[in-house]
Amino acid sequence: ARRADRLEALAAETGAIAVPTDITEDDAVERLLGIVADAGGADTLVNIAGGARGADPLAQAKTADWDWMYQANVVGTMKMIRAFLPLLRAQREGGTVLNLTSTAGMVSYEGGAGYNAAKAAQRAMTRALRLEEAEHGVRVIEVLPGMVQTEEFSLNRLGNADAASKVYDGVEKPLTSEDVADIITYAVTVPHHVNLDEIVVRPLAQAAAHKVIRKQ
C-alpha cells in the first residue's frame, strides 16, 4: 500500500514487513521486489490496488481521470505481476496470483465508462495470464466484487461524502472489505491444484448490476 501509517499499524499487529509502494512507479516496484526476495521470496501475489475516479458520461470524460484509472488498475497490476513472476514460478509447490477486479469489468453502466474500461482491461489481462502461466505451475485467480461499502472507494470517486453515502442509501448489508478479504484468504489457501478461476461476489441486495434492492 502507499500509506506508511496504516502499514506500520498492520505490521505491529501481524508481524508483516511494511513497504510503502506506489505500484505505478517502476523504481518502487523494484525496491519492493528486492525486499521480498531478500526476505525469502513469495508464493502468493495479491493485487488489490486500483479504484475509480469520476462518474462522468463519455461526452464529459476527463483525460486525467481515465489516465489515473488505467495506471492504477491495469498498468500497476501488470508491473507487479511482471516483477514477481520469477519468484512465483520458482516455488516448489507452485505460485499464485490473485487479481481483485470488479463486476464493473463485466457489465457497463452510465457514468462508469472509464472504470468499466479499466476493469475490463484488468480482467482480460488476468485471463491471458492464466493461459500463459498454467504450464509454469502458477495458478491465477480473479475475484470480482459488486457493491462493497468501504471508507474510501465512493468518496475518492465522487469527491464528497454526501454523494458517496448516497451510493449505499437503503441497501441492506452491502459487502464489507472484511467479506472480500475472507474470500481472498480462502481462494489462495485451498490446495494448490484447486484453481478458483473466477469468483463473482455481490451482496444479497444486489441481484444484478442493474437491480439493487433499496429499503426506505
Side-chain angles (χ1 to χ4, degrees):
R2 293 171 290 106
R3 290 164 296 195
D5 56 339
R6 295 193 176 192
L7 287 177
E8 288 165 1
L10 183 63
E13 179 183 340
T14 65
I17 299 172
V19 187
T21 304
D22 181 344
I23 66 167
T24 67
E25 296 292 337
D26 291 335
D27 291 345
V29 172
E30 287 303 313
R31 176 173 173 266
L32 173 62
L33 176 63
I35 292 171
V36 173
D38 290 345
D43 59 16
T44 303
L45 172 64
V46 179
N47 290 302
I48 62 172
R53 282 196 178 172
D56 300 309
L58 270 170
Q60 285 84 46
K62 297 180 177 63
T63 301
D65 287 346
W66 281 60
D67 283 344
W68 184 91
M69 286 187 281
Y70 200 81
Q71 288 294 320
N73 292 283
V74 184
V75 177
T77 298
M78 176 276 290
K79 289 182 177 182
M80 289 291 292
I81 293 170
R82 182 179 63 189
F84 279 85
L85 271 179
L87 291 184
L88 301 176
R89 289 175 174 177
Q91 295 298 314
R92 283 185 56 190
E93 302 300 322
T96 297
V97 175
L98 185 147
N99 289 342
L100 185 70
T101 62
S102 171
T103 55
M106 302 170 63
V107 180
S108 297
Y109 52 88
E110 293 167 290
Y115 189 55
N116 294 145
K119 284 303 184 184
Q122 190 184 31
R123 174 166 165 73
M125 174 175 57
T126 304
R127 299 174 82 176
L129 181 70
R130 186 178 300 116
L131 298 173
E132 294 169 354
E133 291 304 314
E135 66 185 273
H136 300 294
V138 177
R139 64 179 174 180
V140 178
I141 302 165
E142 181 181 9
V143 176
L144 303 93
M147 183 174 281
V148 183
Q149 186 171 16
T150 68
E151 62 180 312
E152 292 191 335
F153 180 84
S154 292
L155 180 61
N156 288 341
R157 181 177 200 174
L158 301 174
N160 70 80
D162 288 341
S165 66
K166 288 179 181 177
V167 173
Y168 310 100
D169 276 355
V171 179
E172 188 174 36
K173 295 183 179 179
L175 295 179
T176 66
S177 55
E178 288 80 6
D179 294 327
V180 178
D182 285 344
I183 291 164
I184 290 173
T185 300
Y186 177 78
V188 301
T189 55
V190 295
H192 192 266
H193 71 281
V194 178
N195 200 126
L196 298 170
D197 287 13
E198 301 175 356
I199 305 171
V200 177
V201 53
R202 298 184 178 96
L204 179 60
Q206 187 182 25
H210 64 279
K211 183 172 182 177
V212 178
I213 308 303
R214 298 180 187 270
K215 296 183 178 181
Q216 300 301 321

